[in-house]
Amino acid sequence: MATNRQPHASLSRRRFLQAGAAVTGSALLAACAGGGGARGGTSQPQSASSGGQGYVPDRVVKVGILSPVTGGFALAAVLNQAGMRHALKEYEQEGWRFEVIVEDDRGDPTTGLRAAQKLIERDRVHFMLGPIVSSVALAVRDLCDQSKTILSTSSAVARELTGSRCSRYIWRSTPTSYMYGLGYGPWLAQHLGKRAYVLTLDYTAGIEVAEAIMDGFRRHGGEIVGYAKAPLATTDFAPYMGPLLESRADFVTGFIAGRNAIDALKAFHQFGIKDRMAVAMGVAFTSNDIIDAQGPEATEGVYEYVEFSESLDTPEYRAWAQLHHQWFPEVKRIAHFNAHGYTAAKSVLLGIERAGSLDPDRIAAAMEGLSWQAPHGPIAFGPNHQATINMYITQVRDM
């Protein structure tokens, strides 16, 4: 379904060009099977309301959060936890009581595994939320599976977590790396041209998103005329601009986020890239905080493929965002990390509520096939515990 409407004036940052169909990065996989007693077969979707169905645990629910509190992902961790606490606060208003224990995984697999062991073995949490970083999520996968600890990830994109290494006790309400690109490629080929230059960050998420974009693009007759990978430590993208300009591409695409996105936008602007080709990057390239940091001249006209934007203009999102700012005034800009934290926590809480129990097997059974309406669109879990999610194509306009 396409729309050309302008977002609400107070949130006017990105124009929604197209709302894509719900997509999943692993739709061809059968039900999760194997370790931890995971069972095959499928379950019928079960819709869920936003709480208040009558069940209130008779004890304090202990929630463990794995989060990169320090290091390069610290800001994302703050936003992610705000989303998680938003969901918990909704249930506190229904009489639930929580003890939240946050452990700093530092974005490091070894540190994350030790932190998860503490949460499970010493703190005896009822379930865990996070982590953000894929390598940490993969490091704690076996521990959660073997200990029968429910883990709801919040932004970790590694495909195998709900693919070849899926577990009965692990759930993802956010996109995989492949979901962040596969549906984008066909749109790029149809609307921006058949010659693409790929510039992406040189780590797992950057490479997997870029490969997904290329896969979808090539399926629709596209040609990759150049491919460059920039290390995460890159602050000066100038060396990549010469080959990009010489490629005569119709557009540049890939995955660059956070501080790297600000630096890349600066280079695109200084070298006049937008005068020569379209800029159509993957998720988190033109979030509103980045637009604010770079200004309208550098960001005007940039395309992005996202499952969330602060510029969403629906009654559901506006109401949620207003409450989020009220409860967490320190959050100046709502990013996809906030939404990810919220859906990660809310999905488990809905499962507990439906199960009427804190038993992990009963929670897992209740979450299988669960569907519910998040502020930014529907969440529906498939048999491998990966959610299908609406993706949108946006463009920064009229800044």
Side-chain angles (χ1 to χ4, degrees), residues 174-232:
T174 58
T176 70
S177 55
Y178 208 62
M179 294 166 69
Y180 271 132
L182 183 62
Y184 199 19
W187 188 91
L188 295 172
Q190 293 163 11
H191 294 85
L192 298 187
K194 301 293 187 180
R195 292 170 56 83
Y197 191 100
V198 177
L199 174 60
T200 200
L201 292 177
D202 190 11
Y203 76 121
T204 300
I207 294 169
E208 289 187 353
V209 172
E211 289 177 348
I213 295 173
M214 290 190 289
D215 189 358
F217 183 62
R218 285 172 172 147
R219 292 185 190 186
H220 285 71
E223 175 190 2
I224 306 301
V225 297
Y227 184 21
K229 293 182 286 188
L232 275 172

Side-chain angles (χ1 to χ4, degrees), residues 288-299:
N288 284 354
D289 57 333
I290 293 175
I291 293 173
D292 288 346
Q294 279 301 92
E297 195 173 0
T299 54

Side-chain angles (χ1 to χ4, degrees), residues 166-177:
C166 65
S167 162
R168 174 167 173 73
Y169 306 101
I170 296 177
W171 303 80
R172 177 161 47 201
S173 60
T174 58
T176 70
S177 55

Side-chain angles (χ1 to χ4, degrees), residues 264-339:
L265 274 166
K266 184 186 302 181
F268 288 158
H269 180 56
Q270 290 175 343
F271 284 82
I273 298 299
K274 289 191 296 178
D275 297 331
R276 302 279 293 275
M277 65 188 70
V279 176
M281 304 301 287
V283 68
F285 193 69
T286 58
S287 56
N288 284 354
D289 57 333
I290 293 175
I291 293 173
D292 288 346
Q294 279 301 92
E297 195 173 0
T299 54
E300 179 75 15
V302 174
Y303 297 92
E304 188 176 346
Y305 189 60
V306 298
E307 86 289 6
F308 168 83
S309 169
E310 192 180 18
S311 296
L312 276 167
D313 189 25
T314 63
E316 295 83 4
Y317 174 72
R318 289 201 306 270
W320 182 87
Q322 181 179 8
L323 191 58
H324 196 70
H325 282 303
Q326 177 183 326
W327 283 348
F328 306 97
E330 70 277 11
V331 175
K332 304 306 180 185
R333 289 293 188 197
I334 298 177
H336 68 287
F337 291 112
N338 302 71

Side-chain angles (χ1 to χ4, degrees), residues 383-394:
N384 54 0
H385 301 180
Q386 173 62 50
T388 55
I389 301 163
N390 280 351
M391 302 295 292
Y392 306 91
I393 294 164
T394 68

